[in-house]
Amino acid sequence: VKSEGPKLVPFFKATCVYFVLWLPTSSPSWFSALIKCLPIFCLWVFLLAHGINFLVSHRSASRILAGLIFSAVGDAFLIWQEQGYFIHGLLMFAITHILYSSAFGMKPLDLRAGLLMGLICSSCYAFLYSYLSGPFTYLVAVYIALIGFMGWRAVAGMQLCNDLWTWTKLSACIGAMLFMVSDLTIALNKFCFPVPYSRFIIMATYYAAQMLIALSAVETRDEEDFRKRS
């Protein structure tokens, strides 16, 4: 953690800039889009700082970087969501979750975690269903399935019972859960009812989630370093 911390300083600074400026969402602009996306740009730099060779040779890290790129595009679309770009942002984040799921992998399978995540996601969709109409009835269902699958793969990697977990797997698990909290808050606030302090909850959990998922990408490098020292 000590070795990765300094590389995250730009991310923390950019996040502080976002919350300090707190630009109004009622007047979207390219400047507000830049400020919103800046912390994610810093996470690009964080991963690139580990070296191009590392990203090329480790598919999980390169897929997380690709997910961060689609996330930034999705963030920009959501700045103009009231102008009709919400679905565009939804699509970008759907691709992000597919990339993150691929990065986390399918081993171990852990069907119990999958069933639990499926139950949680089904319950969320059942609650949202009566508030949805038109294409959102289907789009939200697909999106919930994708983020639920991503959450399952992150949780499955923990293997707490077998004592095989690492701090990066824990980081991926917590990050995925925070991402789900952020997106659920968006859905409740947009389709159901106003959520108090919704914007703060959405962005605080979102930035934390992206940082933790980006941190999970360094696991393979840590394992290689450990083998070399051994």
Side-chain angles (χ1 to χ4, degrees):
V1 175
K2 287 182 179 179
S3 65
E4 302 301 332
K7 300 186 186 77
L8 286 170
V9 169
F11 165 80
F12 289 120
K13 289 182 176 179
T15 303
C16 288
V17 168
Y18 173 82
F19 284 109
V20 168
L21 292 181
W22 204 243
L23 298 171
T25 56
S26 57
S27 54
S29 66
W30 284 108
F31 179 70
S32 59
L34 174 63
I35 295 302
K36 184 182 181 184
C37 295
L38 192 58
I40 307 303
F41 294 159
C42 292
L43 292 177
W44 297 2
V45 175
F46 167 75
L47 289 180
L48 289 170
H50 291 84
I52 298 298
N53 291 335
F54 170 74
L55 293 172
V56 170
S57 58
H58 297 91
R59 292 182 178 180
S60 60
S62 60
R63 288 168 184 171
I64 288 176
L65 176 59
L68 288 168
I69 292 172
F70 278 99
S71 293
V73 177
D75 281 332
F77 276 130
L78 291 182
I79 288 287
W80 285 276
Q81 61 177 291
E82 299 302 327
Q83 284 72 36
Y85 287 95
F86 182 80
I87 292 179
H88 298 73
L90 198 69
L91 175 61
M92 293 299 103
F93 280 107
I95 296 172
T96 294
H97 296 316
I98 293 172
L99 288 166
Y100 286 169
S101 299
S102 178
F104 297 149
M106 290 301 296
K107 295 181 180 180
L109 192 59
D110 196 348
L111 290 177
R112 285 181 298 179
L115 289 172
L116 177 60
M117 194 62 63
L119 179 61
I120 293 172
C121 291
S122 297
S123 299
C124 290
Y125 182 70
F127 178 82
L128 292 169
Y129 181 78
S130 60
Y131 295 93
L132 301 173
S133 61
F136 285 115
T137 304
Y138 310 102
L139 291 175
V140 171
V142 173
Y143 186 85
I144 289 177
L146 289 174
I147 195 171
F149 185 82
M150 185 271 292
W152 169 34
R153 299 322 309 146
V155 171
M158 282 290 295
Q159 301 185 77
L160 287 174
C161 296
N162 299 324
D163 198 28
L164 296 174
W165 67 278
T166 63
W167 70 267
T168 46
K169 289 179 180 177
L170 177 62
S171 175
C173 180
I174 297 174
M177 295 302 100
L178 288 174
F179 216 135
M180 294 178 73
V181 170
S182 179
D183 282 357
L184 178 59
T185 307
I186 290 175
L188 291 174
N189 192 65
K190 183 173 181 64
F191 300 114
C192 304
F193 48 78
V195 177
Y197 308 106
S198 60
R199 187 180 171 198
F200 177 80
I201 295 171
I202 291 165
M203 297 312 298
T205 53
Y206 170 69
Y207 285 141
Q210 294 283 40
M211 179 196 71
L212 291 168
I213 290 173
L215 271 172
S216 73
V218 305
E219 177 176 17
T220 47
R221 193 191 66 162
D222 289 345
E223 290 174 349
E224 286 180 352
D225 291 344
F226 177 79
R227 286 196 295 269
K228 288 178 181 177
R229 288 196 298 268
S230 301

